[in-house]
Amino acid sequence: MKKMILAGCVAGFALPAFAQSSVTIYGLIDEGFDYTNNVKGGKVYELQSGYTQGSRWGLKGNEDLGGGLAAIFQIESGFDVNNGKLAQGGLGFGRQAYVGLNSDKFGAFTLGRQYDSVVDYLAQTTSNGSWGGYLFSHPYDNDNTDNTFRVNNTIKYASPNIAGLQFGGTYSFSNDTNFANNRQYSVGAQYTIGGLLLAAAYLQANNPSATATGAINNGGDENFVAKRLRIFGAGATYAFGNATVAFAYTNTFVAQPVSSGYVGAITPGGGATLSSLRFNNFEVNGKYQFTPAFFVGAAYTFTRTDFNASNGKSHPQFHSVGIMADYNLSKRTDVYFQGAYQHAGGDKTGSVLDVAYVPGADGVSSTSNQVVGRVGIRHKF
């Protein structure tokens, strides 16, 4: 990272009472070659950007206001390495854009486009939210642990670390004459003692994506257009020696879903209508650090879906497995291999939930199985 210290080099003699400020320029580029065995019946070979972590660049800074208080800001833009396009639906600073105050004693208040509490507190107990990335997300990233959407118009509070406990929450305004139309709120907490981390979070969004100016509208990157989105869950990680093991449970309820931002409308067959969806995700994962430069991780997720349609209730199921090996060439550059497999089973619905779809694949499979392999390189600056 490159840091510029703006300490009044020119005018500091005239403003001796002002403390130092700093601005950091940073970024990350993740690029790789993907193979998918079945995309609507065909094989796909492609370059894809930002799968272990989204490719990005940004600025962040703080100004010491004295007494343990600082003004802070961060603006962060996502992009596609292969074509130079902006990510997050083409937004200029689609990953984050906020300003606020941070107190050593009382925590941080920030305003702008930010992460929700599921991402802040719970996601790191999952493989995709910690070391694995996109390919290991739960089906359709239904619980947002891979940060598929951010929340706009958001006030966030994050507490300081209080004897191992940290907590916080967000509220996102609709910016609409209908106050509740496309608003969001979330809360979360973590507790760390020794090698054990416990986490929990809750999020609710009313009419997500209903308006262009509301809490959730990411240029098509959001998962569902619906009347209500509700996510809650809990997880734990335990580190001992060179090993880390984790368990995470998340529950996602979508009332009157209209579509998925990835593969088109999730609609039942036979002309039936869909009233609600519920995803129950159970994940176990682990990572072993063989050397300071090399680790191997693996994850398994079982997902049970409640598919409530006018012609009855059914229960599609997904089994998802992922493995990753990562080697650091330096402190800032690593190379890695990832493999992901998904099997779709359970009840048939006449919808895309009847076939496999590994998150990040170029499209849905034509069968109940799909495999994606990836070889990549990541560089941080």
Side-chain angles (χ1 to χ4, degrees):
M1 294 183 178
K2 297 181 179 179
K3 180 171 286 188
M4 300 179 296
I5 304 299
L6 310 177
C9 295
V10 176
F13 62 88
L15 301 170
F18 284 77
Q20 281 193 346
S21 297
S22 67
V23 176
T24 301
I25 303 172
Y26 67 94
L28 180 150
I29 300 174
D30 178 26
E31 175 71 319
F33 172 79
D34 290 8
Y35 162 76
T36 307
N37 74 323
N38 188 325
V39 177
K40 299 180 180 178
K43 299 177 181 179
V44 175
Y45 305 86
E46 58 188 340
L47 288 177
Q48 289 283 5
S49 169
Y51 271 40
T52 52
Q53 289 181 276
S55 298
R56 70 196 74 173
W57 77 274
L59 298 170
K60 59 183 177 181
N62 69 83
E63 179 190 12
D64 187 351
L65 302 176
L69 183 67
I72 57 174
F73 81 91
Q74 186 167 3
I75 54 175
E76 187 174 270
S77 177
F79 60 90
D80 189 321
V81 176
N82 291 302
N83 55 30
K85 292 182 178 179
L86 294 172
Q88 290 79 50
L91 299 176
F93 292 103
R95 292 187 59 86
Q96 300 183 83
Y98 65 80
V99 65
L101 296 172
N102 181 59
S103 167
D104 293 342
K105 293 182 179 180
F106 302 109
F109 284 94
T110 50
L111 301 93
R113 178 175 169 86
Q114 304 182 73
Y115 299 164
D116 62 71
S117 297
V118 172
V119 174
D120 285 340
Y121 297 97
L122 180 58
Q124 63 186 272
T125 64
T126 68
S127 56
N128 62 295
S130 53
W131 48 264
Y134 197 19
L135 291 181
F136 298 170
S137 299
H138 304 152
Y140 300 94
D141 191 26
N142 62 80
D143 49 15
N144 202 41
T145 53
D146 199 63
N147 212 1
T148 295
F149 65 81
R150 280 77 173 170
V151 285
N152 302 320
N153 316 323
T154 299
I155 298 174
K156 175 189 285 191
Y157 171 72
S159 78
N161 189 314
I162 307 171
L165 175 66
Q166 292 179 285
F167 57 91
T170 66
Y171 184 87
S172 305
F173 290 89
S174 65
N175 282 12
D176 189 74
T177 53
N178 182 346
F179 187 78
N181 194 28
N182 197 0
R183 67 172 176 175
Q184 177 276 154
Y185 48 90
S186 67
V187 293
Q190 286 183 348
Y191 178 69
T192 304
I193 180 170
L196 178 65
L197 179 147
L198 304 174
Y202 173 88
L203 176 148
Q204 178 161 316
N206 298 329
N207 295 314
S209 303
T211 61
T213 60
I216 299 177
N217 192 297
N218 295 266
D221 281 358
E222 62 277 358
N223 279 6
F224 295 103
V225 179
K227 181 177 181 179
R228 181 170 294 109
L229 172 66
R230 183 180 297 127
I231 302 168
F232 66 87
T237 68
Y238 183 66
F240 54 100
N242 293 331
T244 302
V245 295
F247 170 79
Y249 167 73
T250 61
N251 182 302
T252 300
F253 175 74
V254 189
Q256 297 180 20
V258 176
S259 67
S260 162
Y262 293 110
V263 294
I266 297 179
T267 55
T273 58
L274 183 60
S275 59
S276 68
L277 275 171
R278 185 183 298 275
F279 296 88
N280 289 279
N281 306 289
F282 303 84
E283 178 185 338
V284 291
N285 67 77
K287 185 180 79 166
Y288 191 83
Q289 198 79 41
F290 287 92
T291 72
F294 177 67
F295 79 79
V296 172
Y300 166 73
T301 299
F302 171 71
T303 301
R304 174 185 165 90
T305 305
D306 297 334
F307 189 89
N308 299 309
S310 57
N311 58 356
K313 179 183 289 188
S314 54
H315 302 286
Q317 299 176 359
F318 298 91
H319 299 269
S320 305
V321 179
I323 187 168
M324 177 177 181
D326 182 277
Y327 181 75
N328 285 281
L329 301 174
S330 71
K331 291 183 178 180
R332 297 190 297 155
T333 303
D334 62 308
V335 292
Y336 61 87
F337 164 78
Q338 293 181 313
Y341 166 77
Q342 187 182 100
H343 172 74
D347 299 335
K348 299 299 181 182
T349 65
S351 75
V352 294
L353 297 182
D354 297 341
V355 296
Y357 176 57
V358 174
D362 192 61
V364 298
S365 174
S366 61
T367 70
S368 59
N369 301 298
Q370 190 173 61
V371 174
V372 177
R374 176 176 175 85
V375 177
I377 182 170
R378 173 173 47 184
H379 177 74
K380 300 175 183 179
F381 62 89

